[in-house]
Amino acid sequence: MRSRPHRHLASPVRLQPMIRCALLTAAAGCVLLATSAASALAAQPYPVDFHTFDLSSGTTSGLTYSAGSLTLAASGLGTLAYTDPYAGANGDAVDGSGTYQSGTWTSDAYPVAFPFNELVSSWNAKTPTGTWVQSEVQPQLDDGHWASKWYVLGRWTYGDSDFHRTSVGGQGNADGYVSIDTFFAKDHPAVAYRLRLTLYRRAGATASPSVSRYSAVVSNLTNQKMSFPSATTMNGTTIDLGVPQYSQEIHHGEYPQYDNGGEAWCSPTSTAMVMGYWAGKFPAAGYAPSGTETSWVDPLFADPWVDHTARYVFDYHYDGAGNWPFNTAYAAERGLVSDVTQLRNLREAEPFIKAGIPLVASIAFTSNKLDGAIKSTNGHLVVIEGFTGDGSKVIVDDPASATDADVKHSYDREQFERAWIPASGGIVYVDRPPGWPTPPLQQP
């Protein structure tokens, strides 16, 4: 089973890349702000800033903005000669190489009220065959200079018949680096950033990708000071959202070209559970894949929607299905509004559960530190779907369970927070239907 080190588990002082499913703006002003904020970090819980950008603002080239979405314009398009590094991967006969037309949206500089050292972007897009989108970031460091390059945070397309969706490795320099989907500042924290979004389609094609939402969350977990367990807001009534229960373990050995089969499918299995939950509430919305869409799955395999999700979130560079924004982008392509953000404790998760929104959370823990769970993991995704009335237990659908019937667990509040917060900084996927009442993704 292949995995990657969890970013915070080994040492909360120095950020590390993370495993996803291992079952075992003025420069001077920004510099002053960073100096004062850095001294406060030692005494406060870690800071988080989530921001969704207004796509009608910023700078565009070759794009138009209409009805809440960016699409390729009729003129002024750029061109890119792209070579697909994964052409013919796993014998799929797919080659995304070729000439593409493109248009670009660039945000204004976004100043952050604290020095941050990691950033994750997420987007909601529609990518017909022959199209894809790319997310990039350029940070401003605390000494005032802007990074000398743009860092690619992902190349996304929903399908896999014409292009291989992928993260991009080998981008590190003196200012920072990218681990799968996350930018990490290197020697200096950042105090501001710009995002850049590029939409692509094959030359000669007429379809256009579209993007309706583009967000980023930044944080600084250096010298975090946390107290566990957090105080609960539960009022004595248990909430259990009744999310469908899917086990990743029953998919062991299925389609090993996608991250070695089900044993490593914690993220897509969790995403499939949330998609199934919303599909149960809105059967006609198409949130879950249809029988036609899963017809390629062996009919002997249970829960074929899990196989479908694993295939359609698979990252060909990472060689895994645990890319965070690829999982939320999959949910968005199927009609949900989806973001990656960070929460600082279960108290901040409780409003989402009360609003009927399950959360996919990224956790990790060492031997026997989460009673009732697997022995240990360097990185794992689960679904938070409820709380007991007194808040002492968090109700979790854990895909690392022997059967679907075994998936639901009640985990100790303090133990779960210790597995979630130091490990990933409270990363969650927030997937919900358009217009669904949603608590602020930026908690005060």
Side-chain angles (χ1 to χ4, degrees):
M1 170 174 30
R2 192 201 44 70
S3 53
R4 92 193 204 194
H6 216 299
R7 60 170 54 108
H8 303 302
L9 186 62
S11 170
V13 176
R14 179 56 187 156
L15 303 180
Q16 301 293 335
M18 166 185 169
I19 292 182
R20 307 285 168 82
C21 240
L23 306 181
L24 311 153
T25 303
C30 289
V31 171
L32 290 173
L33 179 63
T35 302
S36 60
S39 63
L41 283 177
Q44 296 181 357
Y46 65 93
V48 173
D49 183 284
F50 174 87
H51 184 70
T52 297
F53 287 83
D54 179 0
L55 296 178
S56 68
S57 65
T59 303
T60 60
S61 175
L63 297 178
T64 60
Y65 179 80
S66 178
S69 296
L70 291 168
T71 57
L72 290 171
S75 61
L77 302 179
T79 58
L80 170 72
Y82 181 74
T83 300
D84 184 351
Y86 307 102
N90 303 316
D92 63 8
V94 172
D95 187 355
S97 302
T99 301
Y100 289 84
Q101 297 176 308
S102 66
T104 300
W105 175 89
T106 306
S107 76
D108 297 329
Y110 179 72
V112 178
F114 57 86
F116 68 90
N117 44 24
E118 64 177 277
L119 178 149
V120 182
S121 70
S122 53
W123 55 89
N124 290 192
K126 301 295 184 184
T127 51
T129 300
T131 73
W132 50 285
V133 299
Q134 176 172 275
S135 175
E136 297 172 279
V137 65
Q138 183 185 44
Q140 182 186 28
L141 287 305
D142 68 349
D143 61 2
H145 85 275
W146 286 89
S148 60
K149 62 185 289 184
W150 288 84
Y151 299 87
V152 178
L153 299 174
R155 292 171 177 159
W156 165 262
T157 189
Y158 177 74
D160 58 6
S161 64
D162 189 67
F163 187 86
H164 294 100
R165 77 189 73 82
T166 185
S167 54
V168 178
Q171 299 186 71
N173 63 3
D175 295 322
Y177 64 98
V178 174
S179 177
I180 306 176
D181 47 29
T182 306
F183 167 78
F184 290 95
K186 201 169 183 182
D187 295 328
H188 291 271
V191 293
Y193 66 93
R194 300 185 185 101
L195 290 185
R196 185 165 72 185
L197 182 69
T198 307
L199 283 60
Y200 293 95
R201 73 172 170 213
R202 280 195 182 272
T206 57
S208 173
S210 63
V211 177
S212 58
R213 187 174 176 88
Y214 194 27
S215 307
V217 61
V218 302
S219 59
N220 189 329
L221 274 77
T222 305
N223 298 323
Q224 59 174 296
K225 301 293 183 181
M226 298 301 297
S227 177
F228 303 113
S230 61
T232 185
T233 64
M234 298 297 293
N235 62 7
T237 302
T238 294
I239 300 177
D240 183 342
L241 297 181
V243 173
Q245 299 172 204
Y246 306 146
S247 164
Q248 71 192 73
E249 297 299 333
I250 66 173
H251 298 273
H252 182 74
E254 297 176 7
Y255 305 105
Q257 66 268 39
Y258 305 122
D259 201 7
N260 201 33
E263 190 178 2
W265 287 357
C266 59
S267 184
T269 305
S270 295
T271 293
M273 284 192 267
V274 172
M275 302 299 288
Y277 168 77
W278 291 117
K281 292 186 175 297
F282 302 97
Y287 295 143
S290 66
T292 299
E293 290 176 288
T294 60
S295 61
W296 58 273
V297 179
D298 190 316
L300 297 178
F301 295 164
D303 302 342
W305 36 84
V306 172
D307 303 77
H308 184 279
T309 309
R311 173 179 171 179
Y312 287 93
V313 302
F314 186 73
D315 175 345
Y316 282 84
H317 166 254
Y318 169 42
D319 195 23
N323 183 307
W324 292 331
F326 282 11
N327 276 259
T328 54
Y330 171 88
E333 290 265 6
R334 302 201 63 85
L336 295 177
V337 177
S338 302
D339 299 284
V340 178
T341 191
Q342 291 173 256
L343 305 177
R344 288 168 293 198
N345 49 50
L346 286 172
R347 183 182 179 91
E348 294 186 359
E350 288 169 350
F352 291 91
I353 301 306
K354 293 176 181 179
I357 302 173
L359 301 169
V360 178
S362 179
I363 65 174
F365 50 91
T366 55
S367 183
N368 301 315
K369 295 298 184 182
L370 186 60
D371 294 342
I374 55 177
K375 183 176 180 180
S376 65
T377 172
N378 288 327
H380 187 45
L381 281 296
V382 300
V383 178
I384 299 174
E385 69 154 333
F387 291 92
T388 55
D390 63 1
S392 64
K393 301 285 187 180
V394 54
I395 302 172
V396 172
D397 285 329
D398 189 336
S401 303
T403 70
D404 285 358
D406 300 319
V407 163
K408 185 177 293 188
H409 293 70
S410 291
Y411 289 143
D412 177 81
R413 184 185 188 93
E414 179 175 352
Q415 290 183 347
F416 187 87
E417 286 185 327
R418 291 186 182 278
W420 176 37
I421 303 304
S424 73
I427 283 285
V428 289
Y429 310 162
V430 186
D431 304 321
R432 68 281 189 197
W436 190 270
T438 303
L441 276 74
Q442 173 63 62
Q443 295 292 314

